Amino acid sequence: MRNAVCQARWESKAVEGVKTVRDAALLSIRKNKQDETSDRQTVRPSVQPVTRAAQSTQSQVDKIAGLSEAEETKLDNMREAQSEIRDVLDSVLRQFSAPIRYAFAYGSGVYKQAGYGASKPMVDLIFGVSHPDHWHALNIAQHRNHYSFMGTLGANAVSFVQDRMGAGVYYNPFIEIEGVVIKYGVVSMGTLSSDLLNWDSLYLAGRMHKPTLTLRRDPLMRISKQVNLTHAVRAALLMLPKNFTTDELFTCIASLSFAGDIRMRIGGENPHKVQNIVEAQMPLFKSRYSSIIEGLPNLEYIGQDLLQQNMAPQARAAMLRKMPNNFYDRLLKQGRKAGIKLPPGFGAERVNTERLVVVDNISQIATKAVESIVAWPALTQSLKGVLSSGLTKSVSYMYAKNLKYRNN
């Protein structure tokens, strides 16, 4: 059976009745629950009556799965800081007349990262909009100074560059509003949701694997975000051994969006960025992924910050079949390059997944599959910055990024 996310995408293209990404997201959730139930029946042992000993053990696991007292205190402090930042950024968003359907902030300007000084970095924002061309027309009329020479060409040209190049995001950096320096990216709701569900580019989906601060909510995004986070955990499990720590899990998850990103190779990003993110934001990661970890049938806590996954081939193959179609196809391609005999065709999915998960180098194969998704969109999105930001701002941005980590 094709995984739920893939099926949702295919049906949204093939059936007129499923015309919106909302339909696809809801269908994927419903199908995923059905598959989860099937896998629990197939892979896991039959459910036994809960004894007092089992209840005691479960209580102990629940306690282990929670945050430590120190982490709870740190998380409370982080949430207080989030509330203050949200108030400031809400004021920034009110300066835009064009309708913003969904918005979130991310990066070091919102969440502290280890290894950085006290300087205030630029705040990264994403605006999800329904109609990018109409949105840019309104925004150019109000904030012409936010745009490079592309603003002179008009909203249609801006929208064309946004949709046809890179990962479907159009950034305006170094914009000061209400005393806050921001970089805001505009993306269509369809592009954003599709990346979360299908991992088209992992450009925004990967950023949303890490803690983000939601500024404008949307019901569709709540569903799509949860699917995306579950994808991230499952991808990480393919790359991890039977037993691993929460630090290893979240480091693996946080690294997905940087795999294959050329900026990590040419000094455009801090080479220690992943470790810095996880180290400083561990309580947020635990809070973000807690329900997903506890809800997956093949993953469980076995100690404080220690996890164990079910390594049975049948269980791992069932997990792999729930991954996005784009990831699965690229995994097949990398598997064949590695010499694994994987027959083509829709009906071969069960055989292929069972063959893939038992090879010793599945971690390397999965990593290369992710790299192949990330590399081209990340490169072309960076090159698009010359058009969207202008040459001067693009050079300034890269210099600032490079200088920031070299001085810390």
Side-chain angles (χ1 to χ4, degrees):
M1 180 185 293
R2 269 302 200 206
N3 63 68
V5 174
C6 306
Q7 188 69 18
R9 187 175 67 174
W10 292 342
E11 291 181 14
S12 67
K13 291 180 179 179
V15 183
E16 281 294 320
V18 186
K19 293 183 178 179
T20 66
V21 180
R22 183 184 300 274
D23 296 329
L26 291 172
L27 182 59
S28 81
I29 293 293
R30 185 162 57 249
K31 292 279 291 177
N32 202 45
K33 286 182 178 179
Q34 293 172 354
D35 288 347
E36 201 75 65
T37 300
S38 174
D39 288 339
R40 285 174 185 263
Q41 294 172 347
T42 302
V43 177
R44 297 177 69 80
S46 59
V47 178
Q48 301 296 326
V50 179
T51 63
R52 288 187 178 182
Q55 290 176 336
S56 175
T57 301
Q58 183 62 46
S59 175
Q60 183 180 7
V61 171
D62 289 341
K63 185 177 180 181
I64 293 172
L67 295 168
S68 66
E69 288 187 12
E71 287 175 329
E72 286 179 354
T73 301
K74 186 175 181 180
L75 182 60
D76 288 340
N77 293 335
M78 286 178 165
R79 285 175 173 167
E80 287 182 10
Q82 284 179 0
S83 181
E84 295 175 2
I85 295 171
R86 183 182 286 108
D87 290 341
V88 172
L89 295 180
D90 280 342
S91 177
V92 170
L93 261 61
R94 286 195 292 270
Q95 305 308 310
F96 290 86
S97 298
I100 300 171
R101 184 171 158 187
Y102 175 75
F104 69 90
Y106 68 97
S108 58
V110 181
Y111 296 108
K112 183 180 179 181
Q113 297 178 13
Y116 287 89
S119 60
K120 290 186 176 181
M122 184 164 52
V123 176
D124 296 314
L125 300 173
I126 291 294
F127 298 163
V129 305
S130 298
H131 305 288
D133 51 351
H134 177 62
W135 195 93
H136 286 297
L138 295 175
N139 200 49
I140 289 172
Q142 183 187 13
H143 299 297
R144 173 60 186 87
N145 61 316
H146 289 188
Y147 291 79
S148 66
F149 70 93
M150 290 295 300
T152 304
L153 301 179
N156 288 338
V158 172
S159 183
F160 178 86
V161 170
Q162 174 182 319
D163 292 336
R164 301 299 180 89
M165 297 180 63
V169 190
Y170 190 97
Y171 279 106
N172 285 325
F174 295 110
I175 307 300
E176 185 172 349
I177 301 177
E178 299 285 298
V180 181
V181 179
I182 66 171
K183 178 184 74 172
Y184 67 91
V186 182
V187 61
S188 74
M189 291 294 287
T191 297
L192 174 56
S193 186
S194 183
D195 195 29
L196 295 175
L197 295 172
N198 304 319
W199 281 14
D200 300 322
S201 68
L202 269 175
Y203 191 84
L204 292 178
R207 281 154 178 76
M208 295 176 75
H209 290 159
K210 297 171 276 292
T212 60
L213 181 63
T214 302
L215 304 173
R216 295 276 175 87
R217 298 185 182 278
D218 181 87
L220 167 63
M221 286 298 107
R222 183 174 61 84
I223 298 170
S224 300
K225 283 165 59 179
Q226 197 72 1
V227 172
N228 179 46
L229 297 181
T230 305
H231 287 337
V233 174
R234 287 172 172 155
L237 292 180
L238 288 174
M239 304 174 187
L240 291 167
K242 181 177 181 178
N243 298 331
F244 51 89
T245 65
T246 51
D247 182 79
E248 290 172 322
L249 172 64
F250 298 136
T251 297
C252 189
I253 289 173
S255 68
L256 293 175
S257 64
F258 296 107
D261 191 337
I262 191 173
R263 295 176 302 168
M264 299 297 290
R265 302 176 183 177
I266 63 173
E269 281 288 4
N270 186 339
H272 307 295
K273 185 164 187 170
V274 172
Q275 293 89 334
N276 291 342
I277 291 172
V278 175
E279 178 184 337
Q281 302 172 25
M282 179 60 76
L284 291 171
F285 273 99
K286 287 186 175 181
S287 175
R288 191 174 187 82
Y289 285 94
S290 175
S291 63
I292 294 173
I293 291 173
E294 294 177 1
L296 289 175
N298 59 324
L299 182 62
E300 62 181 347
Y301 276 98
I302 58 172
Q304 181 66 43
D305 292 333
L306 185 63
L307 291 153
Q308 183 178 88
Q309 63 169 314
N310 185 350
M311 297 296 285
Q314 191 177 11
R316 284 169 67 78
M319 177 187 73
L320 176 54
R321 288 193 292 273
K322 294 183 176 71
M323 290 298 289
N325 185 49
N326 192 30
F327 175 82
Y328 172 75
D329 288 344
R330 291 171 186 263
L331 195 69
L332 285 184
K333 184 175 181 180
Q334 295 300 327
R336 291 183 179 118
K337 284 184 177 180
I340 305 171
K341 294 183 178 180
L342 302 169
F346 178 80
E349 186 180 53
R350 181 174 294 274
V351 172
N352 287 338
T353 54
E354 291 177 354
R355 288 182 181 179
L356 280 166
V357 297
V358 297
V359 298
D360 293 335
N361 60 335
I362 182 59
S363 176
Q364 291 78 14
I365 292 173
T367 300
K368 288 181 179 179
V370 172
E371 289 176 352
S372 70
I373 295 174
V374 172
W376 181 249
L379 173 61
T380 52
Q381 184 70 39
S382 296
L383 294 175
K384 185 169 70 175
V386 177
L387 295 177
S388 62
S389 306
L391 182 60
T392 301
K393 282 188 176 181
S394 295
V395 173
S396 298
Y397 178 69
M398 291 299 296
Y399 177 76
K401 294 278 284 187
N402 189 276
L403 186 66
K404 181 170 66 174
Y405 80 77
R406 288 185 182 277
N407 290 341
N408 292 282

